Amino acid sequence: IRRSTNLASLDVASHLMSETAHDLRSPLTTVRESMRLIKDGGNASLTSEEILYLDAAMDQCDCMFQMINEMVQLQRLRTGIPRVDRQWVAISKIRQSIEETLRPWALPRKIDVLWDIMVDAETKVYADLALIRRLIVNLATNAIRVTPESGVVLVQLQCPRGGNAVRWAVLDRGGGIKRRVLQQMSSNRSANGADGVAESSCGSEGLGLLISRQLAALHFSDLQICS
């Protein structure tokens, strides 16, 4: 009975977050576009410092948009609405898609996203391209946030010995995760894995991590976190 009650409460909470997220999109768009018009309107009276503040505020709006999208995605994942379109897709194609998505996050802070691919780049994996991109981008953007400016984030791929799956890992050199927080994050697994593993030392928890677990589960995989 307790387990059923907890699941029902989680369903209500995720539905409420999704509805709230939809309501937040319009006013947030108005705020961001107003700042963009001020910045790009050719107003010569703006100082370089004021432009810097506007850029920072617009970046925060972009972060809020990402959180809103994660709220909506969580509800879709929990209700089984998302359609999983798994196909045999080359790792090189997945990498290209991920790099294009990460570029706007990495460039402003001069973060280099490096790849260590210990398998043939043309090896194909059975995956939904959009969902696997979302999974790795979720982990990599968290890693970028905690990486010092001009630092490095590493995306690593390898095949476990004797296995027929590809193990993905996202590694950073952020401040690490406190032991208590790491235990809480590790004990909240929603996907007990098969062969594939995505790993992150992203240093933050929240909707992005919960969604990442769901996305890993859709690929018959577990999400492991280490500091």
Side-chain angles (χ1 to χ4, degrees):
I1 295 174
R2 183 182 304 165
R3 179 172 175 81
S4 297
T5 301
N6 289 340
L7 288 174
S9 298
L10 185 56
D11 287 338
V12 171
S14 62
H15 179 72
L16 179 60
M17 284 193 298
S18 178
E19 292 296 317
T20 303
H22 281 293
D23 292 339
L24 286 173
R25 276 177 169 163
S26 293
L28 184 58
T29 299
T30 301
V31 170
R32 193 191 188 288
E33 285 305 298
S34 297
M35 289 188 291
R36 185 187 64 80
L37 289 172
I38 294 172
K39 177 178 177 290
D40 299 340
N43 190 338
S45 63
L46 287 177
T47 65
S48 58
E49 187 176 19
E50 288 170 336
I51 292 176
L52 188 64
Y53 287 145
L54 282 172
D55 284 336
M58 291 168 67
D59 285 342
Q60 291 303 307
C61 284
D62 289 339
C63 289
M64 291 178 67
F65 273 119
Q66 185 184 24
M67 286 188 285
I68 286 171
N69 289 334
E70 287 173 350
M71 291 179 186
V72 175
Q73 181 76 0
L74 176 61
Q75 173 66 7
R76 290 176 179 169
L77 287 170
R78 287 195 56 77
T79 57
I81 294 175
R83 179 182 174 187
V84 182
D85 183 18
R86 300 186 193 91
Q87 299 180 17
W88 289 102
V89 55
I91 288 175
S92 59
K93 185 175 181 179
I94 299 175
R95 172 180 177 174
Q96 180 183 4
S97 178
I98 291 170
E99 286 181 325
E100 291 172 354
T101 308
L102 286 178
R103 194 169 293 117
W105 295 91
L107 282 179
R109 303 190 59 240
K110 301 177 182 178
I111 303 293
D112 285 330
V113 179
L114 304 182
W115 290 73
D116 181 18
I117 303 179
M118 292 176 274
V119 295
D120 187 340
E122 295 309 312
T123 297
K124 293 185 177 181
V125 293
Y126 192 55
D128 184 310
L129 176 59
L131 296 184
I132 198 70
R133 175 184 63 204
R134 180 68 184 270
L135 169 57
I136 303 303
V137 166
N138 272 0
L139 301 177
T141 51
N142 276 340
I144 288 170
R145 287 193 193 104
V146 301
T147 297
E149 190 168 327
S150 302
V152 171
V153 169
L154 179 67
V155 181
Q156 187 180 73
L157 284 76
Q158 59 181 311
C159 288
R161 183 174 297 178
N164 60 355
V166 176
R167 182 179 185 272
W168 299 68
V170 178
L171 302 100
D172 62 66
R173 291 187 174 180
I177 309 171
K178 293 181 180 179
R179 183 184 299 273
R180 175 182 56 82
V181 176
L182 185 62
Q183 289 174 344
Q184 291 174 349
M185 296 164 73
S186 298
S187 64
N188 189 31
R189 295 188 175 185
S190 58
N192 291 321
D195 292 318
V197 177
E199 178 177 312
S200 173
S201 55
C202 57
S204 66
E205 59 179 324
L207 284 174
L209 181 60
L210 180 56
I211 290 170
S212 294
R213 292 191 190 281
Q214 300 280 0
L215 294 173
L218 291 175
H219 290 87
F220 318 109
S221 302
D222 193 16
L223 180 71
Q224 295 183 352
I225 307 156
C226 63
S227 179

